[in-house]
């Protein structure tokens, strides 16, 4: 069994609005997953010349893949995958929609117990039009890959289970129960 976790880390900003990269890292250490899909990750440069993602990967004993997407303030936000599984291939896809914030997602093919597993780490836009188009682009990427298992992990930004993105993705992926990234107050 492979354990995969998805986590929108919101730039490591907590409910108290403090940015502390050690808090989400401690959560991930406790979860001890094989694959970790991260959204809104800021690969902050550290004093030793490495980025924050490489530091997390080293602390977790994993390999890292990062697809930078958009800038907010002085920070670059993107999607990342941390994994203990061997990476066979990786490719970044731009699924931005004109007039909206730039969106990128990494497509990573992993070796998992003799099988190939395609992992797509996504963070959809907030507009219904944007999500509908992005889900169609994502579906085309998933359908084009010959893999034993296809996994889409991330933040769909879709408040309803019957939205266009959810309907499109449900045709390709078994959809899990909706879970809140941030617990209610």
């Amino acid at each position: 069994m492979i354990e995969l976790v998805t986590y929108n880390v919101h730039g490591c900003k907590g409910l108290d609005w403090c940015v502390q990269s050690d808090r989400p890292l401690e959560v991930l250490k406790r979860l001890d997953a094989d694959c970790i899909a991260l959204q809104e990750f800021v690969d902050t440069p550290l004093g030793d010349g490495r980025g924050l993602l490489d530091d997390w990967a080293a602390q977790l004993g994993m390999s890292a893949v990062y697809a930078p997407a958009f800038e907010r303030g002085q920070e670059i936000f993107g999607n990342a995958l941390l994994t203990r599984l061997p990476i066979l291939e990786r490719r970044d896809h731009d699924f931005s929609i004109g007039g909206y914030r730039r969106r990128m997602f990494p497509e990573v093919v992993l070796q998992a117990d003799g099988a190939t597993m395609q992992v797509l780490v996504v963070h959809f836009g907030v507009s219904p039009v944007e999500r509908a188009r992005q889900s169609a682009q994502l579906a085309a990427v998933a359908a084009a890959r010959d893999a034993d298992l296809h996994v889409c992990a991330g933040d769909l930004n879709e408040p309803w289970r019957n939205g266009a993105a959810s309907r499109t993705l449900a045709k390709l992926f078994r959809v899990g129960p909706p879970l809140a990234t941030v617990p209610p107050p």
Side-chain angles (χ1 to χ4, degrees):
M1 181 165 59
I2 297 167
E3 188 168 339
L4 185 138
V5 170
T6 185
Y7 189 178
N8 185 331
V9 294
H10 297 285
C12 297
K13 186 181 290 184
L15 292 174
D16 58 3
W17 292 93
C18 292
V19 175
Q20 294 180 332
S21 62
D22 59 324
R23 290 192 294 194
L25 177 61
E26 290 307 313
V27 170
L28 296 173
K29 284 179 180 177
R30 288 193 308 268
L31 292 174
D32 194 34
D34 300 300
C35 296
I36 302 167
L38 300 169
Q39 303 84 49
E40 290 192 50
F41 189 87
V42 177
D43 196 16
T44 306
L46 303 177
D48 62 4
R50 293 182 304 155
L52 182 63
L53 187 63
D54 285 337
D55 179 62
W56 282 21
Q59 290 191 55
L60 294 167
M62 299 177 131
S63 298
V65 169
Y66 184 61
F70 63 86
E71 185 174 338
R72 183 167 60 207
Q74 298 300 312
E75 301 175 314
I76 306 248
F77 288 75
N79 297 319
L81 180 71
L82 295 166
T83 182
R84 289 193 180 101
L85 302 173
I87 298 172
L88 301 176
E89 187 180 339
R90 69 90 38 114
R91 187 170 165 207
D92 293 342
H93 297 273
D94 186 337
F95 71 149
S96 305
I97 305 300
Y100 295 95
R101 180 175 276 159
R102 183 170 185 248
R103 300 286 177 168
M104 299 288 293
F105 71 89
E107 171 192 13
V108 185
V109 179
L110 304 172
Q111 183 70 43
D113 295 329
T116 56
M117 180 169 76
Q118 175 196 48
V119 180
L120 308 166
V121 182
V122 300
H123 185 207
F124 282 16
V126 295
S127 159
V129 170
E130 192 179 11
R131 290 192 305 267
R133 290 183 186 168
Q134 288 168 335
S135 61
Q137 289 177 329
L138 180 78
V141 170
R145 171 66 62 186
D146 183 26
D148 298 309
L149 179 65
H150 302 269
V151 176
C152 175
D155 185 344
L156 300 184
N157 266 327
E158 190 155 68
W160 307 281
R161 293 295 279 200
N162 62 348
S166 292
R167 288 192 316 270
T168 299
L169 296 178
K171 294 174 188 171
L172 292 167
F173 302 98
R174 187 172 348 143
V175 179
L179 302 170
T181 301
V182 178

